[in-house]
Amino acid sequence: MKTNPHCITLTSKVILVASLAAAAAGCTTAQPPGEIVAWAEFTLAANVSEATMLKAADLVHENFLRQQPGFVRWELLRGKDGQWVNLIHWMDQASADRALERVDKSPACSNYFKCMAGLDEAVPFYRRVKTYPR
């Protein structure tokens, strides 16, 4: 299946450090397991501008993600040296899986994926176990 790949690298270390700092500060809140989060790192494909990619992302949001049952939110993050991250939140794994089955049929998704380079075929998902308040 050709889908939007999601991979994790250094970010898991950053999240772990932030979680440990919050726990050390005594600010933990137990709550039931929650959202599923998908992570996809990428860079812009050759000859694709940031503006072009952002327009394509807007179309994915409006014409695909918002119509998917269980979609919660999508965060598009930009790091240093042209690194980008798609962070997509789902109500549950079943919702994420159903959306992945539909990705290949979406012209908006296809156009968006053409804007990206450095994608991996792996699609790891992470379940929120606990949230640490401010």
Side-chain angles (χ1 to χ4, degrees):
M1 173 192 309
K2 255 185 167 173
T3 60
N4 183 2
H6 303 286
C7 60
I8 187 163
T9 57
L10 178 61
T11 300
S12 61
K13 293 176 185 175
V14 172
I15 292 170
L16 176 61
V17 169
S19 296
L20 292 174
C27 54
T28 62
T29 302
Q31 57 181 254
E35 298 173 352
I36 296 296
V37 179
W39 178 275
E41 293 183 21
F42 68 97
T43 57
L44 294 178
N47 300 319
V48 173
S49 70
E50 179 177 323
T52 298
M53 182 273 297
L54 291 173
K55 285 178 187 176
D58 290 345
L59 292 173
V60 167
H61 181 250
E62 289 301 316
N63 298 320
F64 182 75
L65 287 173
R66 292 187 69 195
Q67 280 74 48
Q68 303 308 308
F71 170 70
V72 175
R73 73 181 175 277
W74 176 21
E75 299 173 55
L76 186 55
L77 312 172
R78 180 178 48 198
K80 295 180 180 180
D81 301 324
Q83 188 67 31
W84 289 84
V85 173
N86 286 306
L87 190 62
I88 305 173
H89 298 256
W90 299 95
M91 288 179 65
D92 52 45
Q93 188 65 53
S95 297
D97 291 342
R98 282 190 300 274
L100 279 175
E101 291 171 2
R102 298 177 182 120
V103 161
D104 289 338
K105 297 174 183 136
S106 167
C109 289
S110 178
N111 187 44
Y112 181 59
F113 297 155
K114 289 176 187 174
C115 295
M116 298 182 211
L119 293 171
D120 190 330
E121 287 292 324
V123 182
F125 292 90
Y126 301 87
R127 180 178 55 86
R128 183 185 68 215
V129 176
K130 198 171 195 178
T131 299
Y132 297 87
R134 182 168 190 236

